[in-house]
Amino acid sequence: MSSADLRDLLAGTGAQLRESVRLAELTTLRVGGPAAVARCASTEALVATVRALDAKGIPVLLLAGGSNLLIGDDGFDGVVVEIATTGVELGADSVCAQAGANWDAVVCRTVEAGFGGLECLSGIPGSAGATPVQNVGAYGVEVASLLRRVRLLDRASGAIGWAEPAELGFGYRTSKLKHSDQAVVLAVEFALDPSGTSAPLRYGELATTLRVTDGGTRPAAEVRAAVLGLRAGKGMVLDPADHDTWSAGSFFTNPVVPHARVDAVRALISAHVGDITVPTYPAPDGVKFSAGWLIERAGFAKGFPGPEAAARLSTKHTLALTNRGAATAADLVELARTVRAGVEARFGIRLEPEPVTVGLTL
Ligand code: EPU
């Protein structure tokens, strides 16, 4: 479609159209080639824009915080719909946020207003609307456990309505909304605890930091401060001056090994690494192993492959692939493939990427 036609198409929607935008500007990995971007600062504009593009069959890429996206160097041949809504409303025991609201600002607002619930999810980059898509989780809490409902635009029917968590097929870092273009998240609503008490603290490192026994609680503000400290120490809080944070967070999910294969994996680990305890976590259909640990023990130290590389593992955490300033998407893909092949060769486990990829395959 010509740029004049695109302008005409989006004229009445309320979106602000920019052409040939480098998508690197809109992602936390800071890579990605050019595309037309329609910025939508209201839910009405967002709905009208997606409907108009869908009616003409124009490919749409939804983008908000850009923190879980690896976009190829050729950009996107369609229109990027930038979700730039910001509204947040506190209720008596809940918070409702528009999809584009900065997630950490939402968490901060609830904690400062004296509510508990979201504090373990402090410091996570990205937008509120993205959190149910991949069932964001950290420090023992997952979005699925606190979410009350999600407001969705169904792109096939054009209908708008609230969906309950039970309809969304949540799993570890996944939901029905991930890898599907069928729905657009417009708003999210979370249950909060008006007493200001945190969720039960179940993550060893956080419980130790706060000196509570497993399952104990603390005031939400105290937990938020501790989580921010832990995350910052791992380069998992955005800081433009620190290239360790030019990432998409964890680049791979922690692999869940089916029960039938666990002994074989443990044998490979002890053959290569010796009798060291590998961190594991219970999972519904097997045992979840720590991807960061496996990467490091497969020979990829923090900062791999070295200071000269444009793309390297974070110097603070092996699970984050980072852009040192001049990396391309191709550099990151090459690093991801190297790490994945090394872990597979040594431990027989194929790591799965966590970010959504656009215009490239790993
Ligand atoms: N480890 C290493 N080397 C490293 C980093 C970690 O060996 O460089 C080992 C350590 O043994 C450590 C273990 O890995 O104890 C676990 O590390 P960490 O506590 O940092 O957690 P993670 O499993 O690597 C997950 C989530 C994070 C979340 C943290 C805290 C996934 C894929 N990642 O990371 O989420 O913040 O737990 O709950 O589930 C994200 O999804 O983008 C993300 C950052």
Side-chain angles (χ1 to χ4, degrees), residues 284-300:
D285 309 311
V287 174
K288 197 194 277 177
F289 283 72
S290 159
W293 191 96
L294 294 169
I295 290 169
E296 192 150 346
R297 273 67 185 186
F300 305 103

PDB file of all heavy atoms in Angstrom, residues 284-300:
ATOM      1  N   PRO A 284       4.705 -28.887  36.304  1.00  0.00           N
ATOM      2  CA  PRO A 284       3.583 -29.816  36.186  1.00  0.00           C
ATOM      3  C   PRO A 284       3.935 -31.151  35.507  1.00  0.00           C
ATOM      4  O   PRO A 284       3.542 -32.193  35.975  1.00  0.00           O
ATOM      5  CB  PRO A 284       2.547 -29.037  35.360  1.00  0.00           C
ATOM      6  CG  PRO A 284       2.928 -27.608  35.505  1.00  0.00           C
ATOM      7  CD  PRO A 284       4.396 -27.571  35.764  1.00  0.00           C
ATOM      8  N   ASP A 285       4.729 -31.114  34.425  1.00  0.00           N
ATOM      9  CA  ASP A 285       4.942 -32.363  33.690  1.00  0.00           C
ATOM     10  C   ASP A 285       6.381 -32.850  33.732  1.00  0.00           C
ATOM     11  O   ASP A 285       6.821 -33.582  32.847  1.00  0.00           O
ATOM     12  CB  ASP A 285       4.537 -32.181  32.210  1.00  0.00           C
ATOM     13  CG  ASP A 285       3.147 -31.592  32.093  1.00  0.00           C
ATOM     14  OD1 ASP A 285       2.254 -32.119  32.770  1.00  0.00           O
ATOM     15  OD2 ASP A 285       2.976 -30.600  31.360  1.00  0.00           O
ATOM     16  N   GLY A 286       7.142 -32.410  34.708  1.00  0.00           N
ATOM     17  CA  GLY A 286       8.529 -32.847  34.756  1.00  0.00           C
ATOM     18  C   GLY A 286       9.307 -32.027  35.761  1.00  0.00           C
ATOM     19  O   GLY A 286       8.778 -31.608  36.779  1.00  0.00           O
ATOM     20  N   VAL A 287      10.590 -31.803  35.438  1.00  0.00           N
ATOM     21  CA  VAL A 287      11.448 -31.011  36.323  1.00  0.00           C
ATOM     22  C   VAL A 287      11.998 -29.848  35.505  1.00  0.00           C
ATOM     23  O   VAL A 287      12.490 -30.026  34.387  1.00  0.00           O
ATOM     24  CB  VAL A 287      12.609 -31.879  36.870  1.00  0.00           C
ATOM     25  CG1 VAL A 287      13.576 -31.030  37.675  1.00  0.00           C
ATOM     26  CG2 VAL A 287      12.066 -33.025  37.718  1.00  0.00           C
ATOM     27  N   LYS A 288      11.886 -28.657  36.079  1.00  0.00           N
ATOM     28  CA  LYS A 288      12.387 -27.461  35.392  1.00  0.00           C
ATOM     29  C   LYS A 288      13.844 -27.248  35.803  1.00  0.00           C
ATOM     30  O   LYS A 288      14.134 -27.145  36.996  1.00  0.00           O
ATOM     31  CB  LYS A 288      11.530 -26.262  35.788  1.00  0.00           C
ATOM     32  CG  LYS A 288      11.669 -25.075  34.852  1.00  0.00           C
ATOM     33  CD  LYS A 288      11.087 -23.816  35.453  1.00  0.00           C
ATOM     34  CE  LYS A 288       9.597 -23.705  35.261  1.00  0.00           C
ATOM     35  NZ  LYS A 288       9.073 -22.485  35.943  1.00  0.00           N
ATOM     36  N   PHE A 289      14.743 -27.206  34.826  1.00  0.00           N
ATOM     37  CA  PHE A 289      16.161 -26.960  35.089  1.00  0.00           C
ATOM     38  C   PHE A 289      16.457 -25.483  34.842  1.00  0.00           C
ATOM     39  O   PHE A 289      15.735 -24.811  34.110  1.00  0.00           O
ATOM     40  CB  PHE A 289      17.032 -27.834  34.169  1.00  0.00           C
ATOM     41  CG  PHE A 289      17.114 -29.271  34.613  1.00  0.00           C
ATOM     42  CD1 PHE A 289      16.024 -30.113  34.477  1.00  0.00           C
ATOM     43  CD2 PHE A 289      18.274 -29.767  35.181  1.00  0.00           C
ATOM     44  CE1 PHE A 289      16.089 -31.447  34.894  1.00  0.00           C
ATOM     45  CE2 PHE A 289      18.356 -31.092  35.608  1.00  0.00           C
ATOM     46  CZ  PHE A 289      17.256 -31.932  35.458  1.00  0.00           C
ATOM     47  N   SER A 290      17.536 -24.997  35.453  1.00  0.00           N
ATOM     48  CA  SER A 290      17.907 -23.594  35.273  1.00  0.00           C
ATOM     49  C   SER A 290      18.706 -23.422  33.979  1.00  0.00           C
ATOM     50  O   SER A 290      19.811 -23.953  33.839  1.00  0.00           O
ATOM     51  CB  SER A 290      18.742 -23.145  36.474  1.00  0.00           C
ATOM     52  OG  SER A 290      19.494 -22.019  36.125  1.00  0.00           O
ATOM     53  N   ALA A 291      18.145 -22.669  33.033  1.00  0.00           N
ATOM     54  CA  ALA A 291      18.819 -22.455  31.751  1.00  0.00           C
ATOM     55  C   ALA A 291      20.127 -21.688  31.949  1.00  0.00           C
ATOM     56  O   ALA A 291      21.144 -22.003  31.315  1.00  0.00           O
ATOM     57  CB  ALA A 291      17.890 -21.709  30.790  1.00  0.00           C
ATOM     58  N   GLY A 292      20.119 -20.694  32.821  1.00  0.00           N
ATOM     59  CA  GLY A 292      21.333 -19.897  33.060  1.00  0.00           C
ATOM     60  C   GLY A 292      22.476 -20.778  33.559  1.00  0.00           C
ATOM     61  O   GLY A 292      23.625 -20.647  33.129  1.00  0.00           O
ATOM     62  N   TRP A 293      22.144 -21.701  34.444  1.00  0.00           N
ATOM     63  CA  TRP A 293      23.142 -22.626  34.996  1.00  0.00           C
ATOM     64  C   TRP A 293      23.679 -23.536  33.899  1.00  0.00           C
ATOM     65  O   TRP A 293      24.878 -23.752  33.771  1.00  0.00           O
ATOM     66  CB  TRP A 293      22.479 -23.438  36.112  1.00  0.00           C
ATOM     67  CG  TRP A 293      23.399 -24.260  36.961  1.00  0.00           C
ATOM     68  CD1 TRP A 293      23.944 -23.925  38.159  1.00  0.00           C
ATOM     69  CD2 TRP A 293      23.869 -25.595  36.666  1.00  0.00           C
ATOM     70  NE1 TRP A 293      24.716 -24.953  38.640  1.00  0.00           N
ATOM     71  CE2 TRP A 293      24.698 -25.988  37.737  1.00  0.00           C
ATOM     72  CE3 TRP A 293      23.682 -26.483  35.609  1.00  0.00           C
ATOM     73  CZ2 TRP A 293      25.329 -27.232  37.793  1.00  0.00           C
ATOM     74  CZ3 TRP A 293      24.316 -27.717  35.643  1.00  0.00           C
ATOM     75  CH2 TRP A 293      25.128 -28.085  36.728  1.00  0.00           C
ATOM     76  N   LEU A 294      22.776 -24.093  33.089  1.00  0.00           N
ATOM     77  CA  LEU A 294      23.193 -25.005  32.010  1.00  0.00           C
ATOM     78  C   LEU A 294      24.090 -24.280  31.011  1.00  0.00           C
ATOM     79  O   LEU A 294      25.090 -24.825  30.528  1.00  0.00           O
ATOM     80  CB  LEU A 294      21.964 -25.575  31.288  1.00  0.00           C
ATOM     81  CG  LEU A 294      21.062 -26.510  32.110  1.00  0.00           C
ATOM     82  CD1 LEU A 294      19.753 -26.771  31.359  1.00  0.00           C
ATOM     83  CD2 LEU A 294      21.774 -27.833  32.411  1.00  0.00           C
ATOM     84  N   ILE A 295      23.732 -23.030  30.681  1.00  0.00           N
ATOM     85  CA  ILE A 295      24.527 -22.243  29.721  1.00  0.00           C
ATOM     86  C   ILE A 295      25.944 -22.050  30.271  1.00  0.00           C
ATOM     87  O   ILE A 295      26.935 -22.300  29.585  1.00  0.00           O
ATOM     88  CB  ILE A 295      23.842 -20.882  29.444  1.00  0.00           C
ATOM     89  CG1 ILE A 295      22.556 -21.101  28.630  1.00  0.00           C
ATOM     90  CG2 ILE A 295      24.791 -19.929  28.720  1.00  0.00           C
ATOM     91  CD1 ILE A 295      21.667 -19.867  28.520  1.00  0.00           C
ATOM     92  N   GLU A 296      25.996 -21.642  31.535  1.00  0.00           N
ATOM     93  CA  GLU A 296      27.313 -21.385  32.137  1.00  0.00           C
ATOM     94  C   GLU A 296      28.155 -22.661  32.175  1.00  0.00           C
ATOM     95  O   GLU A 296      29.330 -22.654  31.826  1.00  0.00           O
ATOM     96  CB  GLU A 296      27.117 -20.795  33.535  1.00  0.00           C
ATOM     97  CG  GLU A 296      28.384 -20.257  34.085  1.00  0.00           C
ATOM     98  CD  GLU A 296      28.187 -19.074  35.037  1.00  0.00           C
ATOM     99  OE1 GLU A 296      27.097 -18.466  35.097  1.00  0.00           O
ATOM    100  OE2 GLU A 296      29.177 -18.778  35.727  1.00  0.00           O
ATOM    101  N   ARG A 297      27.529 -23.787  32.552  1.00  0.00           N
ATOM    102  CA  ARG A 297      28.289 -25.059  32.655  1.00  0.00           C
ATOM    103  C   ARG A 297      28.539 -25.696  31.301  1.00  0.00           C
ATOM    104  O   ARG A 297      29.293 -26.653  31.192  1.00  0.00           O
ATOM    105  CB  ARG A 297      27.579 -26.042  33.593  1.00  0.00           C
ATOM    106  CG  ARG A 297      27.955 -25.862  35.072  1.00  0.00           C
ATOM    107  CD  ARG A 297      27.446 -24.572  35.566  1.00  0.00           C
ATOM    108  NE  ARG A 297      27.815 -24.183  36.915  1.00  0.00           N
ATOM    109  CZ  ARG A 297      27.316 -23.088  37.493  1.00  0.00           C
ATOM    110  NH1 ARG A 297      26.475 -22.308  36.849  1.00  0.00           N
ATOM    111  NH2 ARG A 297      27.678 -22.751  38.692  1.00  0.00           N
ATOM    112  N   ALA A 298      27.899 -25.199  30.250  1.00  0.00           N
ATOM    113  CA  ALA A 298      28.222 -25.688  28.903  1.00  0.00           C
ATOM    114  C   ALA A 298      29.410 -24.912  28.332  1.00  0.00           C
ATOM    115  O   ALA A 298      29.802 -25.108  27.177  1.00  0.00           O
ATOM    116  CB  ALA A 298      27.009 -25.571  27.987  1.00  0.00           C
ATOM    117  N   GLY A 299      29.953 -24.006  29.112  1.00  0.00           N
ATOM    118  CA  GLY A 299      31.167 -23.307  28.679  1.00  0.00           C
ATOM    119  C   GLY A 299      30.961 -21.865  28.252  1.00  0.00           C
ATOM    120  O   GLY A 299      31.869 -21.231  27.728  1.00  0.00           O
ATOM    121  N   PHE A 300      29.745 -21.350  28.461  1.00  0.00           N
ATOM    122  CA  PHE A 300      29.473 -19.957  28.079  1.00  0.00           C
ATOM    123  C   PHE A 300      29.416 -19.105  29.346  1.00  0.00           C
ATOM    124  O   PHE A 300      28.378 -19.005  30.003  1.00  0.00           O
ATOM    125  CB  PHE A 300      28.163 -19.857  27.295  1.00  0.00           C
ATOM    126  CG  PHE A 300      28.132 -20.756  26.098  1.00  0.00           C
ATOM    127  CD1 PHE A 300      27.421 -21.948  26.118  1.00  0.00           C
ATOM    128  CD2 PHE A 300      28.853 -20.436  24.952  1.00  0.00           C
ATOM    129  CE1 PHE A 300      27.414 -22.788  25.024  1.00  0.00           C
ATOM    130  CE2 PHE A 300      28.855 -21.276  23.845  1.00  0.00           C
ATOM    131  CZ  PHE A 300      28.128 -22.458  23.882  1.00  0.00           C
TER     132      PHE A 300
END
